[in-house]
Amino acid sequence: MRPSHTFRVVPSLPEKLERLRELAYNLWWCWNHEAIDLFRRLDRDLWETSGHNPVLMLGTIRQERLQQAAEDDGFMAHFERVLREFDRYMKSKATWYQKTYGEGDGSRPAARPSPPGKTKREPRPPFQPGQCIAYFSAEFGVTECLSIYAGGLGVLAGDHLKAASDLGLPLVGVGLLYQQGYFRQYLNPDGWQQELYPDNDFYNLPITLQRQLSGAPLIIEVEYPGRIVRAQIWKAQVGRVPLYLLDTNIEGNRPEDRDITDQLYGGDDDMRIRQEIMLGIGGIRALEALGLQPIVCHMNEGHSAFLALERIRLLMAKHKLTFAEAREAAASGHVFTTHTPVPAGIDWFHPDLVDHYFSYYYPRLGLSRHEFLGLGRMNPDDPNGYFCMAILAMRLANKINGVSQLHARVSREMWHEIWLQLPTDEIPIIGITNGIHPRSWISHDMADLLVRYLGPRWIERPADQSVWQQAALIPDEELWRTHERRRERLVAFARKRLQAQLEKRGSSPSEIRQAAEVLDPEALTIGFARRFTLYKRGTLLFRDLDRLARIVGNKDRPVQFIFAGKAHPRDNPGKELIRQIIHHARRPEFRNRVVFVEDYDMVTTRYLVQGVDVWLNTPRRPEEACGTSGMKAALNGVLNLSVLDGWWDEGYSPETGWAIGQGEEYPEDQFDYQDAIESNAIYDLLEKEIVPLFYERGRDGLPRGWIAKMKAAMAQHASRFNANRMVCEYTEGCYLPCAERVQYMEENDLQRAKALAAWKSSIAQRWKQIRIEQVSAAGAESEELKVGDQLEVQAQVFLGELKPTDVAVELYYGPLNGEGLITKGEALPMLTAQSKGEGRYVFVGAISCRTSGRHGYALRIIPAHEDLANPFEMGLVLWGS
């Protein structure tokens, strides 16, 4: 029965403990071991049963226990210590951003170079009061009790917010608050994955409902076909960074609209587009309702790409602009990060579905149906092409990046059709390699060890490599004993989880008792945990069962494996991989040596990346965009055994782990052959290198060679692959240039945006007039040149109504490969030498011959304007034949 009235009950805290509430509602606690220990100290069992949720814990703990804590001198000393650290963190004006770009420490902001061709201006903070960077993501994995994440994308988003908080960046997060979040996993007796969808109780989570001055919830409205959908706004405070989450499960919405924020990645395409409308359009309206001014919007994957259209619409309405004019101003502040190396992993919507939800929106943008759909089509002129969210984001972004250097290369190849006239290495997709938030993933005892030998600088300056080089000073004995304790905790955790799994399945008492004896706390332990899908090849290890049995069954040098991970609910091939592992684990030769831990989440991740000895990763190169779990492991001194894909392609060195293969890429018809080669490589590495090194002990029982690799992994990877370095790169390479460009475009009533839009329109109308009429070089093509010589090239071009200043005429040159194609090409600008009248001009340039071999060049013309974000954004290139 529905209640006639509702009310909320909040924890009643003793006056001395009142600030516990403040701590509980700021997720800063989730990366501060002392704060976590404080809550655990109140009631260790309740901390676990509450799902590490201090808000729920404070609401259910016995009042007498709270009173006891308030009168406990030891607890109060601990409490005051945590509060001092919390206040210092929240009030500090000496963050990286403020010291470098702001005025919080009393100094003038650092001068930023004016954009090329622009008038030099006085330095000023990049973001004015009220302005911010808005980071949009469909999922956020900040902590396990806030279950609105599915996997790596969400955990990366959570680490991004934490690092932005540490750095003092004026950033806010925007997402959806899912009533059920992502599914909870359990396996049936046959090992087939089943899904549960427990509800999130928002009023017992560390989030607060945003309200108007009257006390009523702050509501935003978004148009859907034939109705208005309303959403309320919740806030999760992540250190200094607020994360705003939209919730449509409110009275007044239709049942189907209340379900928009029901499940993460649940439902069909119709549900997905409704969620993405709410995330993108609703998210922008939520920021407006909150009084925030996002000068830069970062789209973490294409799910939020509709925000770009909404920002354009708002500018059009406010300043009476055309779509083209508003696009120049809005797109200047858009950053798009793609995480997917295969087109199948991206949202593609049927044109009829887009029509259903956006036909009312087309005229608001001043666009025809064809023009609107063209923004999201691979070929804008294809009347049957599907509408792609990633393409929409790329077409309306100033900066585009992949999440590792290899992934950026793969993305340039994958989206080459959008920039069809360009060599792939010139496609404007850069690489910013992901990183992890160190304090969120390092174990408590390892953190203490680092403070003892590295000092607090690893916390304050985690991206400083000189700090992590001090890992070599950690005594071998202390590092190894610390790691052994973590392996013991992992084994105890796995046993407890396995027993609980068997009890839920109704297994026999003898099976449950046997689960208490699985795994050996002293054996070489290898972890494999990630989403189960075919390209990650979760069963590659089991290709030769006899050989694997000999490896794990060696009595003197045993090896054991712990698996974890979920398959998407509709990914039956992925579920089959899990089922196969379960069946392998039940074989007598693997029992007690191969374990699958159900319901992979952030808690399981921490136990695994902190407690295993080796982290195994077997994707089919180059389909792993980045893969941050191996980074978390390396931070804890765990060694990686991985295919050279994602981050490991740039992180691998023989001192820090092992590579499976040498970076080969196989065509689809050779996948079986590839699996045979790479599974044998794993067995070879285990038998010949990994197992011997682990068990090679000195008289003191220490594996000195292994410990040396642990230290090298921490020294080489911790500073490079962490989120503070990543967010600094986004700030300096994307956020600040975008903010600078937005400010520039908006000056003088957006005159520059208007002028640039008009110029682009003129260029597009006249582009087909231009042609390259003649190209000649000084000397016959067969003539040999020497290193140090110059090849002078002259070209006559017809520009029609365009002026030489409207274009850049370039020589694209470089060495030739075996197919006669230019590789590692460079673009050399040519200079206007002569006007021959009637739109004809002569351009000249000289190629310097720096290396020997066979070289070639081609002439091309591209648009040129000082205000272009990049020379290829119009997609216009004319090549000489």
Side-chain angles (χ1 to χ4, degrees), residues 801-813:
E801 300 174 65
L802 299 182
K803 300 184 294 294
T805 53
D806 290 324
V807 298
V809 181
E810 298 179 336
L811 288 168
Y812 184 80
Y813 70 99

Side-chain angles (χ1 to χ4, degrees), residues 91-260:
K91 296 175 182 178
S92 174
K93 301 297 183 183
T95 64
W96 171 81
Y97 174 77
Q98 288 167 317
K99 288 192 292 186
T100 309
Y101 300 105
E103 296 177 314
D105 61 348
S107 65
R108 288 186 62 76
R112 285 184 52 74
S114 297
K118 315 290 192 301
T119 303
K120 187 174 179 62
R121 293 176 288 174
E122 281 294 312
R124 62 179 178 177
F127 300 96
Q128 303 301 308
Q131 293 180 338
C132 62
I133 305 152
Y135 182 88
F136 284 71
S137 182
E139 51 175 301
F140 285 92
V142 182
T143 188
E144 53 268 21
C145 70
L146 188 57
S147 180
I148 55 171
Y149 66 95
L153 178 71
V155 172
L156 183 279
D159 280 9
H160 196 108
L161 299 192
K162 295 172 188 177
S165 173
D166 290 344
L167 295 166
L169 205 61
L171 182 142
V172 303
V174 182
L176 301 179
L177 185 62
Y178 302 98
Q179 188 69 55
Q180 296 182 335
Y182 203 51
F183 70 91
R184 303 293 301 271
Q185 177 197 56
Y186 72 98
L187 304 181
N188 70 14
D190 188 44
W192 190 259
Q193 174 182 289
Q194 306 289 306
E195 296 88 28
L196 289 173
Y197 294 90
D199 278 355
N200 284 319
D201 179 1
F202 298 162
Y203 292 93
N204 275 314
L205 289 175
I207 56 177
T208 53
L209 186 62
Q210 301 302 282
R211 298 181 180 275
Q212 305 174 50
L213 292 177
S214 65
L218 184 61
I219 302 292
I220 59 103
E221 297 181 343
V222 178
E223 298 88 343
Y224 283 70
R227 79 271 191 196
I228 299 294
V229 178
R230 296 169 177 83
Q232 58 188 3
I233 308 167
W234 297 79
K235 181 176 76 170
Q237 191 67 37
V238 186
R240 301 181 181 100
V241 170
L243 167 59
Y244 296 105
L245 302 164
L246 299 181
D247 165 26
T248 64
N249 186 16
I250 57 176
E251 291 186 12
N253 283 339
R254 297 180 182 181
E256 64 269 27
D257 293 331
R258 297 182 70 155
D259 289 344
I260 289 174

Side-chain angles (χ1 to χ4, degrees), residues 563-786:
F563 288 84
K566 298 176 178 179
H568 187 279
R570 294 194 295 274
D571 185 359
N572 285 335
K575 292 183 179 183
E576 175 60 22
L577 295 177
I578 295 174
R579 192 188 73 86
Q580 289 177 22
I581 292 173
I582 296 299
H583 281 252
H584 291 317
R586 290 172 178 168
R587 295 168 65 105
E589 61 268 39
F590 298 128
R591 190 174 296 135
N592 298 335
R593 288 282 181 258
V594 177
V595 169
F596 187 95
V597 177
E598 292 179 13
D599 202 25
Y600 184 42
D601 61 4
M602 293 176 78
V603 176
T604 308
T605 300
R606 278 193 288 271
Y607 274 104
L608 284 168
V609 299
Q610 294 168 8
V612 299
D613 301 294
V614 176
W615 194 257
L616 177 64
N617 189 27
T618 56
R620 198 180 299 282
R621 177 185 165 111
E623 295 186 32
E624 181 84 277
C626 182
T628 57
S629 57
M631 300 176 187
K632 301 179 180 79
L635 175 71
N636 283 280
V638 173
L639 307 182
N640 275 267
L641 167 61
S642 175
V643 171
L644 291 171
D645 200 5
W647 81 280
W648 194 235
D649 183 64
E650 59 197 86
Y652 165 72
S653 71
E655 298 82 20
T656 64
W658 297 272
I660 302 169
Q662 297 179 328
E664 300 89 351
E665 296 176 16
Y666 294 79
E668 187 172 353
D669 60 0
Q670 293 184 21
F671 280 177
D672 189 63
Y673 172 70
Q674 177 186 9
D675 292 349
I677 294 295
E678 293 182 349
S679 62
N680 281 323
I682 295 173
Y683 300 139
D684 286 343
L685 287 167
L686 286 170
E687 292 169 339
K688 299 173 183 178
E689 296 188 35
I690 298 173
V691 175
L693 184 66
F694 182 84
Y695 285 105
E696 185 178 313
R697 309 293 172 98
R699 295 179 64 182
D700 55 7
L702 297 177
R704 299 280 182 179
W706 191 275
I707 295 170
K709 276 184 173 286
M710 292 176 66
K711 292 180 179 180
M714 296 167 69
Q716 292 187 31
H717 300 321
S719 66
R720 186 176 172 193
F721 298 104
N722 78 65
N724 285 47
R725 183 273 312 155
M726 173 188 73
V727 173
C728 284
E729 285 191 22
Y730 275 112
T731 301
E732 296 180 331
C734 298
Y735 299 156
L736 297 183
C738 283
E740 182 83 20
R741 181 173 172 81
V742 169
Q743 292 167 0
Y744 180 77
M745 283 287 162
E746 291 184 348
E747 287 178 350
N748 301 317
D749 193 30
L750 293 108
Q751 284 304 312
R752 289 190 178 89
K754 295 174 183 177
L756 182 59
W759 178 85
K760 282 186 175 181
S761 176
S762 173
I763 294 295
Q765 292 173 18
R766 294 168 172 80
W767 189 254
K768 290 185 179 180
Q769 297 177 4
I770 69 173
R771 58 183 179 268
I772 299 170
E773 295 184 333
Q774 185 179 354
V775 180
S776 61
E781 289 192 7
S782 60
E783 183 179 333
E784 292 185 350
L785 299 173
K786 297 178 181 179

